[in-house]
Amino acid sequence: MNITRENIDELNAVLKVAIAKDDYSEKVQKVLKDYRKSANIPGFRKGHVPMGLVQKQYGKAVKVDEVNKLLQDNLQKYLTEEKLDVLGNPLPKGQEDLNWDEDNYTFEFELGLSPKFEVDLQPKEAITSYKIVVDDKMLDNQIKTIQKQYGKITSKQEVEAGDEVSGSFVNEEAELNKKTTFEVSKLKGKANTSAFLGAKVGDTITVTTKGLFAEAGDYRAHLGLTEDEAKEQNLEVSFTIAEVNHRVPADLDQELFDKLYGEGVVTSVTELREKIKEEGEAQFKQQSDQQLLNDVTEKLIENTNFDLPAEFLKKWIQQSGEKELTFEEAAEEYERSEKGLRYQLIEGKIIADNNLQITFEEIKEYAKEMIKAQMAQYGQMNPSDEELEGIAARILSNQDEVRRLSEQLMNKKLLDFFKEHVKLKEKEVTFDEFVKEVYN
């Protein structure tokens, strides 16, 4: 067998594979001999069918099968030995004139070659790395929420300031029927507030959705609409009061501190605020880290220029799925996936150039750390290594779990790498400021 490569350009090549009779004949004869031993042909005893008859009946099919096996095995071996970095898989060129009655064959395959490029981790403008802080306003709100959550509830018949009401916002024409509970203080404007104050259990109140709540998030929580949708639709909704409750906030005393964090862990309001701030900022760090990863990804795609073998990839997409696509459908799919492919190549180069590959041992240790963290949430603070090993082994026996953990660990490695090597500028923001900057 002889394989030669002709480079069309830097991104495209053609492989020519020449297969001679000597390359496959021995394997074909072996298969046919095995067929002869088991062939069940009328008029002949099993194992005594003439070889010529076996050859006539099965010879061509066996030859086609063995030649195709040779092709697949040796193509992959060639790509590995030549260290060719290809995109997709080799695509066979059409050979309508192929005659399987001949002894020698030549096959051609199109290759899409991975582009050569460098990754610049120092963009002209530094990428913003957000540090989300818990401000006093958020702390005050969180403490009020805790006090209400652990406070006493008194059932009432009439709504007064500071009460919360339960019921459903309804507009049958718009198919809106949202069961909810909210504090009257969350309503916006005197007219809306006055409509509820003094109302009794069983009363039905009619309001409009535009400008109903003071906070944007309350529209989604209590109406099932965004603030913009509530404003644009300006629906007239009815609300029948099913329940009125008044919450007496819990005192900020040692009894509450112990309920929240365990006996003696927090002993003052100052320590409580510090603890809530610490926990909140730890949670926000996950969001800011994910945003940093997203922003670095976008900047790398934007700043790393290289060409792709687009026509080859469109043909490969057309032929590689379960259902063959038209070329137009494949071209559309290529346009949708091109950005992701570019980042895969950039990420792969960063990983290879900086030895960021993941070992199975690292995945196992990462799994054990996650298990420990989950067990700690349920009060199991010191699990034995034997126990962790057993749970990790069960998790890692599932290939989907291994894949998921590998992706998480790789994202962590890349994030740590970017924090050290990419040009960043830290910006301290509150959560509201972060949402406004990133999502608006």
Side-chain angles (χ1 to χ4, degrees), residues 375-434:
M375 293 176 76
Q377 292 178 358
Y378 296 96
Q380 296 175 270
M381 306 304 295
N382 295 299
S384 67
D385 195 58
E386 183 180 353
E387 188 176 6
L388 291 173
E389 285 280 349
I391 298 172
R394 288 196 296 275
I395 291 173
L396 297 177
S397 65
N398 184 320
Q399 289 303 307
D400 289 337
E401 282 297 305
V402 172
R403 192 179 302 110
R404 183 180 66 83
L405 291 170
S406 297
E407 289 173 359
Q408 290 181 0
L409 182 54
M410 180 52 71
N411 282 341
K412 182 179 182 302
K413 275 197 172 190
L414 285 168
L415 182 63
D416 291 342
F417 176 81
F418 291 150
K419 284 181 177 180
E420 185 176 349
H421 294 92
V422 173
K423 186 178 179 182
L424 303 175
K425 59 178 180 183
E426 185 174 86
K427 185 174 184 179
E428 193 170 286
V429 292
T430 65
F431 182 71
D432 288 342
E433 290 168 340
F434 173 76

Side-chain angles (χ1 to χ4, degrees), residues 259-277:
K259 284 180 181 177
L260 292 171
Y261 294 106
E263 190 173 345
V265 175
V266 170
T267 59
S268 68
V269 173
T270 299
E271 289 182 7
L272 174 65
R273 292 176 71 88
E274 289 173 353
K275 193 76 172 173
I276 294 171
K277 181 179 176 69

Side-chain angles (χ1 to χ4, degrees), residues 155-167:
S155 180
K156 301 175 62 179
Q157 288 298 309
E158 185 174 327
V159 181
E160 296 180 282
D163 291 344
E164 64 180 31
V165 293
S166 297

